Amino acid sequence: GLSIALPPAPPDLPPLDHDALASEFGTALDSFLDGWRDANVPVILATPASDLWHWFPDTPVCPEVSRPLWKIASNGRWALKAKVAATVAEQLHAAAPGCPETAFAWGRSQYAAGDIPEGLRLLREARDAEPLPYRANTTILTTIRARADRPGVTLVDVEEAWGNAGPGVEARFHDLVHLEATGHADMADTLAPALAEVLQGWTPATRSPHLPR
């Protein structure tokens, strides 16, 4: 795969320690899960989905990437035209081989060429290299998935199930992380089987007396 270097943080912000951030997130998540377990409340834990098909911010984070080239590369209109996508990806790779924008363009190119798994892998690499993690990155997602074997927890891996690249992503997402009405409906459909299964085994008699009836 490509060797992606994390771009520097903006000059007015300290660099983020992604491992420390994930550790703090995991500690907070465990606290919530412990509370619901003690209250005898089953938990459906879902990985947060995000739009992988677009990039934020609109301007490139790597100085090697020119604005005119990035304007073409970030335009979704050509993204499913395999030959155009490949040409743009090759131009970005020549200008900035180690930048996340290059992984983003190559991901779109591979997706357009029909190699969906490789396209998603590269788009996730680009997401993980964002200087500010607007979208849940692989470290955060791994932290969530690691809680799947906790008592009373049912994991629904929405991020893996959706993929979130290619045609139709705009119908689901208002922006990189917030859902449109179609996305909320899809989320309900994705969670419904787990919810139905959990509710079958959870009756008022098994509820904690501390919870409202």
Side-chain angles (χ1 to χ4, degrees):
L2 295 172
S3 177
I4 304 301
L6 285 173
D12 56 338
L13 293 174
L16 285 175
D17 184 334
H18 290 272
D19 290 336
L21 185 65
S23 177
E24 291 179 13
F25 171 76
T27 298
L29 181 58
D30 285 337
S31 178
F32 281 111
L33 295 177
D34 287 344
W36 292 119
R37 180 203 60 206
D38 294 344
N40 195 34
V41 177
V43 172
I44 295 175
L45 187 61
T47 52
S50 60
D51 176 2
L52 298 174
W53 196 243
H54 298 90
W55 180 264
F56 184 88
D58 293 332
T59 54
V61 296
C62 281
E64 296 89 349
V65 179
S66 69
R67 285 176 179 262
L69 178 57
W70 181 241
K71 185 176 181 180
I72 298 172
S74 60
N75 190 323
R77 287 181 293 180
W78 60 264
L80 286 173
K81 298 178 180 179
K83 289 184 178 180
V84 180
T87 299
V88 173
E90 288 168 0
Q91 290 178 354
L92 267 173
H93 183 66
C99 287
E101 290 90 346
T102 302
F104 174 76
W106 274 118
R108 277 182 160 184
S109 173
Q110 293 299 307
Y111 197 101
D115 190 344
I116 308 303
E118 179 65 5
L120 287 174
R121 185 188 70 79
L122 289 164
L123 290 169
R124 286 173 173 137
E125 277 194 23
R127 173 203 63 197
D128 289 353
E130 287 177 329
L132 292 175
Y134 294 96
R135 299 173 284 189
N137 58 31
T138 297
T139 306
I140 293 294
L141 293 168
T142 300
T143 301
I144 295 171
R145 290 166 180 147
R147 272 67 185 172
D149 59 353
R150 286 183 55 120
V153 172
T154 299
L155 178 72
V156 179
D157 201 338
V158 180
E159 195 272 342
E160 179 65 28
W162 282 16
N164 303 323
V169 70
E170 291 88 352
R172 274 181 173 161
F173 288 93
H174 176 71
D175 52 30
L176 293 183
V177 295
H178 297 103
L179 298 175
E180 293 280 13
T182 299
H184 283 290
D186 289 347
M187 180 68 74
D189 290 340
T190 304
L191 296 177
L195 180 61
E197 182 177 350
V198 166
L199 289 178
Q200 282 183 350
W202 190 59
T203 64
T206 64
R207 294 178 61 180
S208 167
H210 303 293
L211 293 175
R213 298 286 179 177

